[in-house]
Each structure stands twice: as C-alpha cells, then as structure tokens.
Amino acid sequence: MSTAIEQAQELFSDEVVTKAISRDVELPYGAGTAVLITLDNGHDHTRPNTFGPGGLLSLDAAIEAARERTDIVAVAVTGKPFIFAVGADLSGVPAIQTREQAHAIGKLGHDVFRKLGELDVPTFALVNGAAMGGGLELALHCTYRTISSGVPAVALPETFLGLVPGWGGTYLLPNLIGAEKALKLIIDNPLAQNKMTKGAKAFELGIADAMFEPADFVEESLRWAARVVKGEVTVERPEVDRGEAWDQAVNMARFTVEGKLHGAAPAPVRAVELVAEAGNRTRDEGFAAEDEALADLIMSEELKAGLYAFDLVQKRAKRPAGAPDTSLARKVTKVGVVGAGLMAGQLALLFARRLDVPVVLTDLDQERLDRGVDYVHGEVDKLLGKGRIDNDKANRLKALVTGSLTKDAFSDADFVIEAVFEKMEVKKQVFAEVEAVVSPEAILATNTSSLSVTEMASELRHPERVVGFHFFNPVAVLPLLEIVRGEKTDEAALATAFATAKKLKKTAVLCKDAPAFVVNRLLTLFMGEVLGAVGEGTEPEVADRAVAPLGLPMSPLMLLQLVGPAVALHVSETLHEAFPDRFAVSEQLAEIVRAGKTAIFAPDFTIDPEVRELFVGGDNPSEESQILDRALRALAREIRIMLDEGVVAEAADIDLCLIAGAGWPFHTGGITPYLDRSGVSEAVNGKRFHEGAPKAL
C-alpha cells in the first residue's frame, strides 16, 4: 500500500466503511456460477453506501478474490436495500493537506473500479437503488448494467459541489451514451439545483441495458445475466458520434456554464473540457486526466466552500437552530389559505400534496376564487401528465382543494395562512376576520416577505399563535421557509410551524421578527447597491454585469424583473424606513414603478428602451470592480449587524437562507465564506465570520 493511501486512510479515520460482501450464486438456465458482491455499510437506507479509502480497499479485495477464480462465469455488484452507492465519502476531504494525497484518492478509485471492466469474465452492475457520483461510476465500469424502475436518483452531482466525476464519469459516460446525453448528467442537472434522474429515465438514456421492477429486481437481473452469459441475449448499443455531434454538445455545455457561472467556478469548466477530450483519448489517458483534475479541485477553495454548503443543507437544515421540542407541535388536519392568487394557489397545492389534508381557499369574489382553484387543478393535471402522480392521486388532490367565499370554512382548520396584498392594514384585517371564526388553538401564519409579525398580531385576542411562514417563489422549487417568531409567539405555535415545515419538505430557518427577515433584507441591500451605481451614472448593463464573478443564478436586474419592480420598491421602502442610513430607495426604480413598467428586459433580453431611459441618472459612473466591492462591503457590514441583532443564530443560517431561498451557488458556500476568503469580512468588520476555520473557507 502506498504511503499516500495510508495517509488518506488516516485522514478518513471516521469513515463508515462500505464493505464488499461476496457470495456465490448459481445462475439460472445452467449458465454457471457467478460471484455476487453486495455493497453494505451496515446501516439502513438513511445512511447510504459511500466510498472512502476503506470502502475502496474492501471492494478491491473482493474483485481480486473473484479474479483468482477459474470456476466462475460472471461477477455482479449490487447494493443494500434501496441504495446502490452514492459516491465518494467526502468526510475526510477538508483534512487533505497535499496534492499528492488528493491525487492518490482519485487514482485509487480508478485502480479499483477499472478492474470490473478488465476481468476475464463479464461483470454486471445490478443498480437496485440510488446511484450517484462514484456509485454510478462503479456501474459504468461494469460490462453490463440493469436498473430497477423504482430507483429514485441517478446522478453525477460532482460539479454542483466543486468537483468533477473523477472515477471514470467524464470518460465512460459520454463514450457510452454520447456527449450530449452525458453532459445533461454532468453539467445541466447539477447546475439546475442538482436535479436527479429516475431509474426509468436512466434506462431510456442508455445508461442501463435492462430494467426490471423493484419487487424481484435482483432475481430478474440474474436471470437476464444468465441469458447474456449463455449468448441468448446480445446487448446492442447505438454507435456514438464522436465527430460533429460531440463537438456541438461540448460547445453548448461551454455556453451553459459560462452563462450561468461567468467563470466563477472551476469545476464545471474542467468537467466540460474532460468530456471534450474523452472522445479522442484512450481509457488510460482519460482516467489520468480525471486524476489530475481531482487533485487540483480537491485542493481548491471552491470545493471546501461547496462541502460547507453541502453540510448545511444535509445536516443543519435537518436540525434547525432554535426549533422547540417537537412534542409541543399541534396536529394539522385541515388548512385554510386566505387569498386565491398565484402564491396562494402554490401554497394550497403544496399543503394538499405533502400533508394530505383538506385545503380551503378564500377570496373576495367567485371569479378570483374559481381562478385560484382552477390553477391548483391545472397544476395537478400537469403532475399527472408528467407521470409524477397517478389518476387516483390526482383525483384525491383535486378533491382536497376547494374554495369558499366566507371564512366560516376555516372554523375547523388547525392552520390558516394568509397570502394577501403586502399591506399591514390588509393583513391585520384578514387576521381579525380569521380569528373570529377559528378555534383558540388554530395557528395563524403569515407569508409576509417584509412586514412585522409582531405588529400584525398586536390587535388579536391570541397574538401568541401568530407566526411568520415565509415561502419563496416558485414554491415548488425553492426549499427555504423563513419561520419568524413574533414577540408573543409561543412555543406551541413555533413547534407546529417547524413540524409543518418538515412535512412540507422545506428547509426551515428560525428568524427574529426584523424587517424583511434574512433573504429579502440582503438581496434588497445587494440590489440597492447596484441600482445606486446606476443612479450615479453607471450604464445599467455595466452595473448588472458587475457581480458576475459571484456566479449567481441570475443578475440583479433579472432578479428585479422576477420579483417585480413594484414589490422590490415596497421592500426597499420598508427597509429604508427601518434603517434609513443603510438602505436607500432608488429614485429610478420609483420612476419605473410610476410608469407602470412590470418588466426590465425586452423579449430579446436587452433592457427595455423605455426602462433604460428611466435609468438615466448622475454623472459619476463606477467600474464593475468598484460596484462588486461596494456590494460585498455592504453585505459584510449588514450580516455582522444581523448577527449582532440575533436575526438568526449563526452565520451558517445566513448562508443556508441564501442557498435555499435565493439559489446562491454552492461554490461560494453561501456568502459568509466568500466574504472571508476575499478578505472583505476583515476589511469591513475587523474579523472573519468563521474565526478559527481553515483559511480556504
């Protein structure tokens, strides 16, 4: 064993080793004896199989034992129930000190996995459950693959974290299914909020050669393998075009990466280049190139930030700071939604799908009410059309969501959320009307994006049951839920809010009742600095490009268009009223709203000429670097103030909010690690947000 591998094992001292357990199976039809290797880390499906040095060496021993045998006709690899394998164990990565250690980890994965494709007998990957990252790459090294139709997740998510699929993924997958399809898994899906592919789709893409139902998946897979061994089944795969089609796919991927990240993250760029060369390289050359890429990226700041972000969404999100004891939560058997607009419709569908309870919408007139209910029913039909739900589920969801012109329909509701116009007087009136008809124990939730929950509850008989429950649009996509505790919100209301959030499969973060809470406060400040530069005379396109080095999912002006100028103006006015010295109101934005403009960009994605005229301002333009520095300094100052005020428990909650509520990239780690790495934290506040953390974070 090399010194580098021994050192790697020491770094991964906490590894939960996935053992490769071998047993002989007699294949049907007299095909002969096969070795079936089962990957199992000794835990249930909630702790998936992963590969650290110990797991790789266990698999290597199992393969070597099979290699020495002359009495077998095949080797098959499968996983424990519901899990095949989900990739590399990343627990020890932050402790890696040298490029040599990083290179050794990459090379060990290749050295072990490639043996599955180089045995004297055919090898079969029986993908019975989730196969991600190194798990999928292990399967790709096998001669053949079967997959269960029930597999929920097939993915190569490495570029999402700051790595590349470095154990064969960028070489084997494009050479199996072509560059275009491969790049969907390697680039497109990871950059689309880490989208997963299901088993049936993986089979359709050509990743697997056969698909069987979950109930008897392994047995059917072995029957199929027996027929392959006997020559009764011949697997034919389409020829891969390594010419013009390959080049076009690579160029499109380059365009996608540049358009989304603007050069801010090295991993996706490196992955595209590996695929670009994979069509012309030998297997040895392709794997060696992956080893070099892994060695570089494992040592990068972006990976450490990505792992920090991953830890936030995988661990901190599941144990929200400040959440009360779950035993205090009240049961929710019926939900009321005040309003029937677009947001209300999204909420109604979410509550019905996740809680499986009746949801009733109310609004001021029958036309609005019908439109709201029809929207929900239409979305249900879309889910049915996509195969996400069956007919029975669709009919049940439609039956659960109804409308009423009177709030009397809330009399037996346990949880009522308002989604009406963002005006304090309107929301107070709504809650007064709701309180008059609901039980004293019913929770009253507000979806306000910036108004005071405390003030909203101030005139009620039971202000203790009012809680902020702020979703982000689109509700089905963005996982964040800001749960806001008013001054009189009690533990039962808060516990019910967190329990409901968990059932809704949302990432809940507890926030103090402060203006605009977390995400809108920071995004309004951020956008305000950009608009401030425009008001001083900077060309709007220049100001909009200034923050491109962050690799955000959309530019500030595109975000302004998504939010809507009127809503953005309202939030900025709210924050200006609260903090006049730090939050300005853009006169240009006010002019745009007064002019009735609802969009910033024309259909061709250039700035609307009429809006551009309204953006004309002063005579002191800034350069892009100055605007970025200005925006980052403002964020650093405001985040320190928010932490000192106790708006959230820790800097990690700020980062979790921006990642889950605004799509902030993993490679930045949210915002506070970026501010630390760039030196802005110390320049503005005199100290880092993560004192004592590695400098790379």
Side-chain angles (χ1 to χ4, degrees), residues 24 98 157 430 494 578:
D24 286 1
T98 68
V430 161
L494 206 59

Side-chain angles (χ1 to χ4, degrees), residues 74-120:
V75 173
V77 183
T78 193
K80 67 183 182 182
F82 310 111
I83 300 290
F84 185 70
V86 298
D89 176 356
L90 300 175
S91 63
V93 169
I96 291 176
Q97 300 296 315
T98 68
R99 191 179 186 281
E100 181 189 14
Q101 293 169 345
H103 189 275
I105 291 289
K107 190 171 186 303
L108 178 62
H110 278 129
D111 289 348
V112 175
F113 285 0
R114 70 181 300 165
K115 292 178 181 180
L116 288 167
E118 297 170 356
L119 292 178
D120 293 334

Side-chain angles (χ1 to χ4, degrees), residues 61-78:
I63 297 171
E64 282 299 322
R67 186 202 294 273
E68 294 174 4
R69 296 187 48 183
T70 58
D71 60 331
I72 59 171
V73 296
V75 173
V77 183
T78 193

Side-chain angles (χ1 to χ4, degrees), residues 15 34 78 119 123-125 128 209 229 253 276 294 297 316-317 329 358 360 406 439 483 518 521 594:
E15 177 185 357
T78 193
L119 292 178
T123 52
F124 297 81
N128 62 307
D209 303 304
V229 169
L294 276 184
L297 293 168
R316 191 173 185 86
V360 59
T406 72
S439 72
I483 294 183
V518 176
R521 179 164 168 176
R594 282 193 286 270

Side-chain angles (χ1 to χ4, degrees), residues 605-621:
F605 294 105
T606 59
I607 294 176
D608 182 323
E610 294 181 11
V611 171
R612 208 176 189 293
E613 286 184 21
L614 296 172
F615 268 138
V616 174
D619 56 3
N620 185 28

Side-chain angles (χ1 to χ4, degrees), residues 106-343:
K107 190 171 186 303
L108 178 62
H110 278 129
D111 289 348
V112 175
F113 285 0
R114 70 181 300 165
K115 292 178 181 180
L116 288 167
E118 297 170 356
L119 292 178
D120 293 334
V121 296
T123 52
F124 297 81
L126 316 184
V127 183
N128 62 307
M132 299 162 60
L136 177 56
E137 289 173 300
L138 182 154
L140 291 172
H141 279 272
C142 292
T143 322
Y144 305 101
R145 286 156 295 284
T146 66
I147 196 164
S148 166
S149 60
V151 169
V154 175
L156 291 173
E158 285 86 350
T159 56
F160 182 68
L161 291 174
L163 287 171
V164 296
W167 285 344
T170 65
Y171 181 82
L172 296 173
L173 188 60
N175 280 302
L176 175 69
I177 63 175
E180 181 180 2
K181 292 178 182 177
L183 284 164
K184 288 186 184 301
L185 270 76
I186 296 169
I187 297 296
D188 295 351
N189 289 356
L191 296 188
Q193 295 291 312
N194 208 19
K195 181 180 177 182
M196 299 289 131
T197 297
K198 294 186 183 296
K201 182 64 176 177
F203 173 62
E204 181 186 318
L205 288 170
I207 294 172
D209 303 304
M211 182 170 67
F212 303 106
E213 293 302 307
D216 54 356
F217 170 71
V218 172
E219 292 83 354
E220 287 299 318
S221 293
L222 291 174
R223 287 191 185 95
W224 182 82
R227 296 180 65 202
V228 172
V229 169
K230 287 172 66 67
E232 296 173 5
V233 169
T234 301
V235 174
E236 295 182 3
R237 298 173 180 142
E239 185 176 347
V240 171
D241 185 338
R242 294 180 177 81
E244 185 177 353
W246 191 289
D247 294 340
Q248 287 178 347
V250 167
N251 288 334
M252 180 56 69
R254 287 177 177 138
F255 178 79
T256 298
V257 169
E258 176 58 29
K260 289 194 173 186
L261 298 174
H262 311 288
V269 175
R270 196 72 176 263
V272 173
E273 296 314 310
L274 286 169
V275 173
E277 297 298 327
N280 303 313
R281 282 175 167 155
T282 65
R283 176 176 289 222
D284 287 344
E285 291 169 341
F287 292 174
E290 288 181 341
D291 289 340
E292 294 300 319
L294 276 184
D296 290 340
L297 293 168
I298 284 175
M299 303 307 296
S300 71
E301 295 178 346
E302 287 80 9
L303 175 62
K304 289 180 172 59
L307 293 178
Y308 164 78
F310 185 71
D311 191 65
L312 290 181
V313 300
Q314 291 296 313
K315 295 180 181 177
R316 191 173 185 86
K318 293 173 183 176
R319 294 186 291 275
D325 192 305
T326 55
S327 65
L328 298 173
R330 294 171 183 159
K331 194 171 182 181
V332 176
T333 60
K334 181 178 178 180
V335 173
V337 181
V338 185
L342 178 59
M343 177 57 81

Side-chain angles (χ1 to χ4, degrees), residues 16 171-172 177 211-212 285 350 454 511 537 558 561 606 653 657 677-679:
V16 176
Y171 181 82
L172 296 173
I177 63 175
M211 182 170 67
F212 303 106
E285 291 169 341
L350 180 69
T454 300
C511 306
M558 190 62 74
Q561 173 154 309
T606 59
D653 293 313
C657 282
R677 291 198 312 272
S678 60

Side-chain angles (χ1 to χ4, degrees), residues 34-53:
V35 172
L36 177 63
I37 300 172
T38 301
L39 305 172
D40 193 342
N41 63 4
H43 295 257
D44 66 15
H45 67 280
T46 60
R47 185 69 183 260
N49 296 327
T50 55
F51 290 109

